[in-house]
Amino acid sequence: MHQEGRIGSTRTELDAWIRTLPQPRTMAMEATIFSGWIYDHLRPHAEKVKVAHPLMLRAIAAAKKKNDTIDASRIADCLRCDFLPERHMASTEIRDRRRTLRYRNLVMQQMAQMKNRVSGLHMESGVSYDKLRLHRMAYFDELLSTNEEVRDNIRPLLKICRQQIDRAIRLDSTLLRTLERDPLLRDRLKRLRTIPGVGPITALTWVLEVGDTSRFLREENKNIEIIRCAGCQVLQ
């Protein structure tokens, strides 16, 4: 044990801590909301930086007591024994663009909530409406202006919900256009779109969530060898 203590999650404190460590350095941490930028910041200062998969780490080192000190000790022990369940860390460029895609997913979830709220307001007030056309702008405006069942007490809420939906649609279009035109993603997206049934969202999700597919080649080759060996045993 070289040293033990608490380190703040700021670049200044990390730099000061790194200078106190002997070389060569291998670092490990559990995946959290901070792990992306900390991983990028530590990489130039260590031979290897490993990020542990939280669920797999808990399965390996399950215990009734859990706090930061105990967790850090378990991570250190797993690292020392070369038993740390690592998670894949995509490149900084992919993670930056993945953040945009996930933000777009949040926008779509919020839009779905607003659409459900619009339907709910109509149902709560006993308003007759066409379910298939409700979220079309022209029909929505017509409903507000001509349907006498729409009471004044829900009109402001309906208008706010509609504004949120329209804003989400515009934001969705902007975010998708930004990602589709990105030079880093453009060629790969174009190739994926040639597959029948693969649209822009599926292609973007594949590129940004899976990342570099070359990391699967080694595991694929291992599986092929295992199948070959099993086949040889069966034949024998």
Side-chain angles (χ1 to χ4, degrees), residues 201-233:
I201 307 302
T202 303
L204 279 168
T205 303
W206 175 264
V207 171
L208 295 175
E209 295 295 344
V210 175
D212 184 12
T213 55
S214 64
R215 63 194 171 96
F216 296 113
L217 293 178
R218 273 194 306 177
E219 293 299 324
E220 228 174 66
N221 293 336
K222 284 180 185 177
N223 292 337
I224 290 169
E225 290 301 324
I226 290 169
I227 291 167
R228 282 177 181 166
C229 291
C232 290
Q233 289 173 3

Side-chain angles (χ1 to χ4, degrees), residues 81-218:
C81 300
D82 196 21
F83 201 53
L84 191 77
E86 285 186 72
R87 59 153 292 178
H88 170 69
M89 288 296 292
S91 65
T92 307
E93 294 78 15
I94 290 294
R95 280 188 277 120
D96 289 342
R97 289 156 179 82
R98 182 190 292 168
R99 189 180 299 116
T100 302
L101 179 65
R102 291 180 179 178
Y103 182 76
R104 182 258 171 194
N105 294 339
L106 174 64
V107 170
M108 298 308 292
Q109 290 173 8
Q110 292 174 342
M111 183 170 69
Q113 290 174 350
M114 287 297 103
K115 287 184 176 181
N116 291 337
R117 185 67 270 183
V118 169
S119 302
L121 287 168
H122 283 92
M123 286 188 284
E124 287 173 8
S125 305
V127 179
S128 302
Y129 62 93
D130 186 342
K131 294 180 181 179
L132 299 178
R133 300 171 60 202
L134 178 61
H135 302 301
R136 297 178 185 176
M137 190 180 297
Y139 177 76
F140 182 85
D141 293 339
E142 179 187 338
L143 198 64
L144 285 185
S145 59
T146 62
N147 194 323
E148 295 179 356
E149 294 178 342
V150 179
R151 298 181 180 179
D152 292 339
N153 60 346
I154 66 167
R155 285 179 184 276
L157 295 177
L158 288 171
K159 289 179 180 178
I160 291 171
C161 289
R162 184 67 235 183
Q163 289 170 1
Q164 294 290 339
I165 292 169
D166 293 340
R167 190 178 295 114
I169 291 171
R170 291 194 297 271
L171 185 55
D172 173 46
S173 177
T174 302
L175 293 173
L176 284 179
R177 192 164 53 247
T178 301
L179 289 172
E180 288 177 327
R181 293 177 179 176
D182 193 300
L184 183 68
L185 310 176
R186 191 188 302 135
D187 291 341
R188 193 172 173 193
L189 290 174
K190 187 177 179 181
R191 291 195 299 271
L192 284 169
R193 292 288 300 277
T194 61
I195 301 171
V198 175
I201 307 302
T202 303
L204 279 168
T205 303
W206 175 264
V207 171
L208 295 175
E209 295 295 344
V210 175
D212 184 12
T213 55
S214 64
R215 63 194 171 96
F216 296 113
L217 293 178
R218 273 194 306 177

